[in-house]
Amino acid sequence: SQKIEQNSEALNIQEGKTATLTCNYTNYSPAYLQWYRQDPGRGPVFLLLIRENEKEKRKERLKVTFDTTLKQSLFHITASQPADSATYLCALDMRGGSYIPTFGRGTSLIVHP
Amino acid sequence: NAGVTQTPKFQVLKTGQSMTLQCAQDMNHNSMYWYRQDPGMGLRLIYYSASEGTTDKGEVPNGYNVSRLNKREFSLRLESAAPSQTSVYFCASSEWGVGDTIYFGEGSWLTVV
């Protein structure tokens, strides 16, 4: 069966360090992979999209990598700040199937001052 | 520009009661979605509407009905609420589908007692 796995344990890091979150998937052939941020009591907000033929995407302090061989995406936040504390969700679009993205359960990031 | 607006924000229902969650978007998007989010389960798609006039089941449609009233509005109805439907409900929209950013509303907290 198709699975998207994100670390259920919260990631705790110190301010200024790089946070790295992982999204692994099985039995998918995603055309795209998206990352969203969700703050408590709010709806998810889109951050970045990376296509299957792209290895890396950057936006300000954010960087996403996409390894279709390893079936993994890494999401990096450099020079992290307490304001980056949130839950981060990955979502995959299926190629050749439904275009509706399927979401992972998310990983909570806590940045300590 | 409000984006995606959901009402009500909070609702308590008794088992067996019915209610409708309303959703409207002002971005002229073609596709609209209803998700539910439960602790440890992530976002799960209930129903979606690829375009005005069409609706399709998602991952967890049982106990729900939807109506795409027009291009702007997509409502979710619980005909006979059950405690298992206690959840946070998110309405969302996107321009067309494949790889498009999904814009979420702020959520509706529903408790069924």
Side-chain angles (χ1 to χ4, degrees):
Chain A
S1 62
Q2 299 167 336
K3 285 176 65 176
I4 302 172
E5 294 180 344
Q6 294 187 259
N7 197 338
S8 58
E9 288 185 20
L11 177 63
N12 286 272
I13 64 168
Q14 286 297 125
E15 182 175 9
K17 301 293 186 184
T18 296
T20 299
L21 304 174
T22 304
C23 177
N24 295 303
Y25 58 92
T26 57
N27 298 323
Y28 271 100
S29 296
Y32 304 87
L33 191 146
Q34 300 171 331
W35 283 89
Y36 289 77
R37 169 183 173 142
Q38 186 173 24
D39 291 288
R42 307 295 296 273
V45 175
F46 172 79
L47 295 174
L48 279 170
L49 177 149
I50 187 166
R51 294 178 174 82
E52 61 176 332
N53 61 349
E54 297 176 318
K55 295 294 185 187
E56 182 179 299
K57 205 77 168 283
R58 291 175 185 262
K59 179 183 176 183
E60 298 172 352
R61 294 185 295 111
L62 308 180
K63 185 179 84 171
V64 173
T65 63
F66 194 9
D67 189 327
T68 54
T69 301
L70 290 179
K71 295 187 182 297
Q72 179 180 80
S73 174
L74 299 178
F75 177 79
H76 306 272
I77 305 175
T78 58
S80 59
Q81 305 164 1
D84 295 326
S85 298
T87 296
Y88 292 86
L89 309 169
C90 69
L92 277 64
D93 282 77
M94 274 293 293
R95 176 164 50 91
S98 168
Y99 65 85
I100 312 289
T102 302
F103 285 82
R105 298 178 182 182
T107 298
S108 175
L109 172 66
I110 302 168
V111 182
H112 299 276
Chain B
N1 189 343
V4 180
T5 305
Q6 303 179 222
T7 55
K9 181 87 171 175
F10 300 98
Q11 184 73 49
V12 179
L13 282 179
K14 293 183 179 178
T15 298
Q17 285 185 322
S18 62
M19 78 157 297
T20 300
L21 298 176
Q22 307 286 352
C23 175
Q25 52 91 7
D26 63 2
M27 295 173 282
N28 200 35
H29 285 168
N30 291 287
S31 301
M32 297 186 73
Y33 317 83
W34 276 105
Y35 289 89
R36 61 177 288 174
Q37 188 173 38
D38 303 289
M41 298 298 292
L43 281 162
R44 293 183 292 170
L45 183 66
I46 305 171
Y47 270 93
Y48 67 99
S49 171
S51 61
E52 187 179 357
T54 69
T55 60
D56 284 288
K57 295 178 181 179
E59 183 184 353
V60 288
N62 291 344
Y64 305 95
N65 285 301
V66 290
S67 295
R68 184 75 183 265
L69 304 170
N70 48 54
K71 192 172 185 180
R72 289 187 64 247
E73 298 172 287
F74 189 39
S75 63
L76 178 72
R77 182 162 179 83
L78 286 70
E79 291 291 352
S80 178
S84 60
Q85 294 178 303
T86 294
S87 188
V88 183
Y89 292 85
F90 288 100
C91 179
S93 70
S94 65
E95 189 167 0
W96 270 117
V98 181
D100 284 339
T101 299
I102 294 188
Y103 295 84
F104 286 85
E106 290 297 292
S108 296
W109 273 254
L110 177 65
T111 302
V112 183
V113 298

